[in-house]
Amino acid sequence: MKKTLIILTVILAGLYVVLTVLDTSEYRLEKQIYRVQKEYNRIMADPKVVPEAEFDNLTARYQKLIAAYPESEVTPNMFLFIGALYNARGNPAKAIENFGEILKRYPDKGMLCATALLNIANTHANNKDEAKTMAAFDAIEENYADTEIGFNLPLLRANYYLNTGHKARHQEAVAKAIDYYKKKSRENPDSQVQFNALRLLVTVYYGQENWAAAVDTLEEILLTFANSQLMTQQRAALFIRSINMVCLTKLNDYRRAEKVYTRFMAEYPEHPLNKVMEQLLGAIKTLKDKNVKVTTQE
Amino acid sequence: MPSKKSVFQPIALLRTSLGSIVQNPVILYPFAIMAAIQIFIIEILFFAPRYPLNIFFGPMIKTMEGERFLHYPYNYAILNKWFASTQMVTYVLLNSFFFGVAVLIIYLLNSGKTMRLRSVFRQALSRYIHLAVAVLLPVVCLKGFAWAYSLVIRRALLIRSTSGKFFMIKQIVLMGAPYFNLFFAVIISVVFAFVVPLIVIEKKKVWAALIDNFKILFSSFWVIFTVVFLLSLVYVPFFMLKTNQIIYQAGLAPEVLGLTIVLGVFLTMVIDALQLTAITTYYLLKKEIK
């Protein structure tokens, strides 16, 4: 009996050792990053009350991990975290230096470089350095236009001018963003690019408070992508909620919402969303009959 | 040594069982093998998201749970979930056999006959089908209860009150789920308590054993219930740890969850050993008095 139990224990211990030795994944790094990230989140929750030594200690831990695992997939992100830490302690030069490390070390990783440039742009923007902010935006446009950040860039520029109070330039950037997303939508019919372009167009119209155009675009998304895989249940629910909200609270126009749902049901008579739309049409009719005016809570 | 009459008291029965195990650690042998098998499964699941096991398990985890579960600390969630789902299969297919072995060992120790483990294993193996069915029956009952309780939960979720009588009912149904499950598991264990000893010792077929089990149970329900209930109380802290997600809320390291699973295996081993020894001892004493 004892012999069997010893053999079983040896087998289990041996298996553990063998599988640990054979493991070439980044499990150890993941464990270390998890602990460092917990510390990062704690510090970033209220960086003003954190002593300098804790910043230094955390930065050193990141640098140690970078040195130990230079080829890991997750290593580039550590430069972003170090940069954010320097930003939080009011050292933009060191922050930019760390974001810049990504551009130097990983020039082939488009999305990563675009993220680094966006961080550089945001750092300059926080320091009210418009020229350098624009230079970073230009670099994204020039080199990483095909990334998600590149695609969002017209909107980012418009937001920058809005936040810095440049009304005229904001209007100009918004007009450019609208043209850009319309063009992208036209050039890439029935694709993810069109889907994303239309969604961003809605965001731009929201910013402009151009509610009618926003509903038109939401309607276009619903009708164009009704049977697409891109139209997940959650997304469909979000679009429908947005149409309701804008039509009832901003445009005060029940008929506009009715028109969207009726048109959708006519074009897609077998669509699973029709049940929801029928219910909404019923609810709209009740509101209309009772002459209820819907407002948003301020 | 307590008298035969006093052994029919739950606490005395438990004390006697503990004494038997301490004096005859061989009783723990089948339970130790069961624990080793469980630890083996835990090891495999623990390393499943990592090379080289991820060649096989990686695509499965990715498809069934999502990419992030291949990485730390989410791998512990997989370990917990997948280990729990293997439990029913190992319980019916493996534990049933080792429960039979354990009962035979206790029987042979009590009757003073010479015991050869190889022969004990062979005898238990000859009763395997009956043992597996005997263990499957309570599992099916438990699953049936869990299904029925899920209906109650669904109904409770429809309660919209945020205070008062109905809110209280909702809270009791939702928060009490693991405890109701545990209580029902106790009842089920008691209802089928003597089936395994009857199959192994009396060499009865499962249905005959089931009928005789109910006859014995008629006069001994509360003793067995108290024994099983007292032992099940040991599980409560573990239930609380898992259901209230204390581990996550307290910000403890994810490894604590892994450790809890491993400790749970050893705890189950000790409780199962005590429970089965107590039930078998009780059965043998009753038989002797008859």
Side-chain angles (χ1 to χ4, degrees):
Chain A
M1 184 183 89
K2 271 187 191 166
K3 202 173 141 190
T4 314
L5 291 179
I6 291 167
I7 290 170
L8 281 174
T9 312
V10 169
I11 288 173
L12 291 174
L15 182 70
Y16 186 88
V17 172
V18 168
L19 289 175
T20 306
V21 171
L22 286 177
D23 178 24
T24 52
S25 67
E26 293 184 338
Y27 189 74
R28 284 184 66 190
L29 171 64
E30 286 171 10
K31 267 171 84 170
Q32 290 178 64
I33 285 182
Y34 175 79
R35 286 177 178 91
V36 176
Q37 281 311 110
K38 260 178 99 173
E39 184 68 2
Y40 173 87
N41 292 338
R42 187 187 67 77
I43 287 179
M44 293 304 262
D46 196 356
K48 283 179 187 158
V49 298
V50 177
E52 282 286 299
E54 286 190 30
F55 274 107
D56 289 337
N57 181 270
L58 186 57
T59 309
R61 284 171 75 182
Y62 275 124
Q63 277 158 350
K64 210 171 150 187
L65 285 176
I66 290 169
Y69 302 94
E71 302 302 325
S72 166
E73 283 281 314
V74 292
T75 302
N77 289 326
M78 289 191 233
F79 288 107
L80 295 176
F81 293 122
I82 297 175
L85 280 171
Y86 276 116
N87 262 336
R89 63 200 285 198
N91 190 344
K94 285 291 270 182
I96 288 166
E97 187 186 312
N98 275 283
F99 297 138
E101 276 298 311
I102 293 175
L103 301 173
K104 272 191 227 160
R105 292 187 190 213
Y106 313 99
D108 300 333
K109 300 197 171 184
M111 187 56 197
L112 198 65
C113 289
T115 310
L117 279 167
L118 182 62
N119 276 281
I120 290 173
N122 288 337
T123 308
H124 287 309
N126 287 337
N127 290 296
K128 300 184 173 41
D129 189 335
E130 190 183 325
K132 285 184 178 168
T133 306
M134 286 302 134
F137 280 156
D138 291 343
I140 296 174
E141 192 175 346
E142 203 174 303
N143 303 303
Y144 309 107
D146 55 345
T147 63
E148 198 184 320
I149 290 173
F151 200 67
N152 287 340
L153 198 63
L155 192 61
L156 293 169
R157 282 189 201 268
N159 283 343
Y160 172 77
Y161 287 125
L162 179 73
N163 294 333
T164 49
H166 292 99
K167 275 192 181 171
R169 285 194 216 165
H170 170 62
Q171 293 297 334
E172 196 185 320
V174 165
K176 273 189 187 170
I178 292 171
D179 286 346
Y180 178 77
Y181 293 127
K182 277 186 174 172
K183 189 172 165 236
K184 284 282 174 190
S185 171
R186 267 196 317 274
E187 286 173 355
N188 303 278
D190 302 320
S191 66
Q192 175 139 25
V193 177
Q194 186 190 21
F195 186 74
N196 292 339
L198 290 173
R199 283 169 71 192
L200 289 171
L201 204 52
V202 173
T203 312
V204 178
Y205 287 137
Y206 277 176
Q208 271 191 319
E209 301 196 355
N210 186 351
W211 307 116
V215 174
D216 289 345
T217 314
L218 284 166
E219 182 180 17
E220 190 182 346
I221 298 174
L222 268 184
L223 291 168
T224 313
F225 294 94
N227 290 328
S228 160
Q229 280 188 337
L230 296 166
M231 187 65 79
T232 58
Q233 251 185 341
Q234 290 93 332
R235 280 174 176 166
L238 181 74
F239 294 136
I240 293 170
R241 255 202 318 272
S242 304
I243 290 170
N244 278 341
M245 195 270 289
V246 175
C247 290
L248 304 187
T249 66
K250 301 292 179 190
L251 297 172
N252 293 317
D253 185 357
Y254 294 113
R255 281 191 189 162
R256 184 71 189 91
E258 264 180 341
K259 208 179 123 193
V260 175
Y261 303 141
T262 317
R263 189 175 164 200
F264 184 90
M265 287 164 70
E267 286 194 26
Y268 300 98
E270 303 297 322
H271 202 279
L273 278 177
N274 287 3
K275 262 188 184 176
V276 181
M277 296 200 178
E278 269 169 26
Q279 284 173 359
L280 285 169
L281 286 172
I284 290 171
K285 191 176 176 298
T286 313
L287 289 174
K288 238 169 35 176
D289 292 346
K290 292 185 178 173
N291 201 20
V292 176
K293 194 178 173 190
V294 184
T295 53
T296 48
Q297 268 188 336
E298 292 295 329
Chain B
M1 181 86 183
S3 70
K4 278 179 186 171
K5 201 179 172 189
S6 72
V7 167
F8 286 114
Q9 301 298 320
I11 302 293
L13 184 59
L14 276 175
R15 206 179 297 139
T16 309
S17 307
L18 190 64
S20 299
I21 292 171
V22 173
Q23 277 174 14
N24 307 287
V26 69
I27 295 173
L28 281 177
Y29 183 57
F31 297 98
I33 296 176
M34 277 188 261
I37 292 168
Q38 307 272 43
I39 299 292
F40 175 77
I41 294 169
I42 290 173
E43 277 191 20
I44 296 297
L45 292 177
F46 178 65
F47 285 98
R50 293 150 69 176
Y51 184 82
L53 296 188
N54 63 358
I55 297 170
F56 176 74
F57 288 106
M60 274 165 74
I61 295 172
K62 215 169 164 179
T63 315
M64 291 165 74
E65 311 289 345
E67 165 81 36
R68 69 182 175 148
F69 290 94
L70 287 166
H71 305 282
Y72 181 90
Y74 303 104
N75 60 321
Y76 280 99
I78 289 289
L79 177 62
N80 193 22
K81 190 179 164 188
W82 286 26
F83 180 65
S85 52
T86 62
Q87 290 294 283
M88 203 175 77
V89 180
T90 50
Y91 190 74
V92 174
L93 296 181
L94 293 172
N95 291 18
S96 56
F97 169 71
F98 289 109
F99 286 156
V101 172
V103 168
L104 266 177
I105 291 174
I106 298 162
Y107 168 64
L108 292 171
L109 285 170
N110 267 280
S111 57
K113 292 177 186 168
T114 33
M115 182 181 50
R116 283 174 57 229
L117 279 173
R118 192 168 291 180
S119 146
V120 169
F121 274 80
R122 206 175 300 136
Q123 277 186 63
L125 196 63
S126 70
R127 314 296 304 152
Y128 178 69
I129 298 295
H130 297 287
L131 286 169
V133 176
V135 168
L136 180 68
L137 286 173
V139 170
V140 171
C141 288
L142 214 56
K143 282 276 153 195
F145 171 78
W147 173 79
Y149 199 84
S150 72
L151 295 182
V152 179
I153 288 179
R154 236 182 274 175
R155 177 63 191 86
L157 285 171
L158 295 176
I159 298 173
R160 288 184 183 177
S161 315
T162 50
S163 62
K165 199 168 63 184
F166 289 107
F167 177 69
M168 219 160 78
I169 293 173
K170 181 182 178 177
Q171 291 299 97
I172 290 169
V173 169
L174 296 181
M175 309 290 280
Y179 304 103
F180 283 121
N181 270 311
L182 181 66
F183 184 73
F184 197 77
V186 169
I187 299 285
I188 293 282
S189 300
V190 175
V191 167
F192 293 93
F194 298 106
V195 179
V196 172
L198 282 163
I199 289 173
V200 176
I201 298 168
E202 309 300 338
K203 300 198 172 16
K204 300 240 176 198
K205 289 182 178 170
V206 65
W207 303 116
L210 210 59
I211 293 163
D212 285 0
N213 163 71
F214 291 132
K215 283 180 194 164
I216 303 166
L217 198 66
F218 191 70
S219 59
S220 40
F221 181 85
W222 290 110
V223 180
I224 301 300
F225 174 80
T226 314
V227 167
V228 178
F229 181 72
L230 287 175
L231 289 172
S232 73
L233 289 180
V234 184
Y235 282 120
V236 172
F238 271 81
F239 270 108
M240 285 176 74
L241 211 62
K242 283 189 179 176
T243 52
N244 295 344
Q245 297 202 313
I246 289 172
I247 291 167
Y248 295 115
Q249 281 166 12
L252 295 173
E255 284 80 358
V256 177
L257 181 61
L259 204 65
T260 313
I261 297 166
V262 174
L263 284 176
V265 168
F266 289 109
L267 187 74
T268 308
M269 177 183 100
V270 173
I271 290 174
D272 280 353
L274 266 171
Q275 189 175 307
L276 208 60
T277 310
I279 289 168
T280 311
T281 307
Y282 183 90
Y283 170 75
L284 291 171
L285 283 171
K286 270 223 145 187
K287 192 181 164 191
E288 203 179 310
I289 284 170
K290 250 187 185 175

